Amino acid sequence: LVASIGLLLLISVLAIFYLSNIYKKKELVKKEKETRHIKYELTSNISHELKTPVTSLQAYLETIVSHPDMDEERRQLFEERAYVQSLKLSDIITDITIVTKLEESPGQYKVCPVNIKVMFDEIIEELSGDLTKHEIKVENGLEPVCIRTNGNLMYSIFRNLLENTIKYGGDGCSVSVSSKLRKDGLYELDYHDTGRGFPDD
């Protein structure tokens, strides 16, 4: 009886050890999958954020190169805008580095007053060619107030929203963007378009 009980205990210990190893391996595989997914998402988001200033910079420089007879005033305007986009590109790269360490060093995240109405007007001007091409009307109903935010990330949000309307809204749609001060002292921003959108899937 004692031998049987001892053998049973030994088998139980071995079984527990075996099942524990299997569980650890499954957890390790699950963690590796989650890590790969996070890396994929991070890479996709970084590519998306960098695409905006890179595309703008390329468009301005391409216009300058392909129109050597462009008048000096317009050339200077495009050069200035290209320079601004290069600065935004540099800032985004810096922000991406900070975001990855945000939990460890939140004080490094640059926050400053940003006039959201002026910012959105600049984006409308930058995308005016595509907006005119697709006959999209934009109403900037934002209040001319300065809110404390990260300027580059706010710029990316606004620009990405407007670019998505151009890509998926369809010709002839309209856009309206507005803001209101809530009771808790925060500003609520609303972006709306009348486009057809795209399928949920």
Side-chain angles (χ1 to χ4, degrees), residues 53-114:
V54 169
T55 302
S56 299
L57 186 60
Q58 182 179 0
Y60 288 133
L61 294 178
E62 184 178 337
T63 303
I64 293 173
V65 171
S66 59
H67 294 81
D69 56 343
M70 182 186 301
D71 64 88
E72 188 59 32
E73 184 178 352
R74 189 166 182 80
R75 176 183 294 275
Q76 183 177 354
L77 175 63
F78 276 40
E79 289 174 349
E80 290 174 354
R81 289 182 176 178
Y83 177 65
V84 169
Q85 291 302 322
S86 70
L87 293 178
K88 289 180 178 178
L89 179 61
S90 176
D91 288 341
I92 287 176
I93 293 173
T94 302
D95 285 338
I96 289 171
T97 304
I98 294 175
V99 166
T100 58
K101 302 178 180 178
L102 187 56
E103 293 184 359
E104 299 176 6
S105 52
Q108 295 184 27
Y109 204 75
K110 186 179 179 181
V111 175
C112 60
V114 175

Side-chain angles (χ1 to χ4, degrees), residues 59-181:
Y60 288 133
L61 294 178
E62 184 178 337
T63 303
I64 293 173
V65 171
S66 59
H67 294 81
D69 56 343
M70 182 186 301
D71 64 88
E72 188 59 32
E73 184 178 352
R74 189 166 182 80
R75 176 183 294 275
Q76 183 177 354
L77 175 63
F78 276 40
E79 289 174 349
E80 290 174 354
R81 289 182 176 178
Y83 177 65
V84 169
Q85 291 302 322
S86 70
L87 293 178
K88 289 180 178 178
L89 179 61
S90 176
D91 288 341
I92 287 176
I93 293 173
T94 302
D95 285 338
I96 289 171
T97 304
I98 294 175
V99 166
T100 58
K101 302 178 180 178
L102 187 56
E103 293 184 359
E104 299 176 6
S105 52
Q108 295 184 27
Y109 204 75
K110 186 179 179 181
V111 175
C112 60
V114 175
N115 189 314
I116 52 176
K117 185 177 182 68
V118 172
M119 173 180 283
F120 196 70
D121 277 336
E122 291 175 355
I123 295 172
I124 293 173
E125 174 64 24
E126 291 173 4
L127 299 177
S128 60
D130 290 330
L131 293 171
T132 301
K133 178 181 177 181
H134 295 281
E135 300 178 343
I136 298 175
K137 297 180 180 179
V138 183
E139 178 185 353
N140 185 358
L142 293 170
E143 297 180 34
V145 296
C146 290
I147 62 174
R148 290 186 57 77
T149 182
N150 181 276
N152 292 315
L153 298 183
M154 179 61 71
Y155 172 89
S156 295
I157 290 172
F158 277 145
R159 175 145 184 155
N160 288 339
L161 285 169
L162 197 53
E163 285 181 336
N164 285 340
T165 296
I166 294 171
K167 291 177 182 177
Y168 307 112
D171 295 352
C173 69
S174 61
V175 175
S176 63
V177 58
S178 60
S179 60
K180 68 176 180 180
L181 181 61

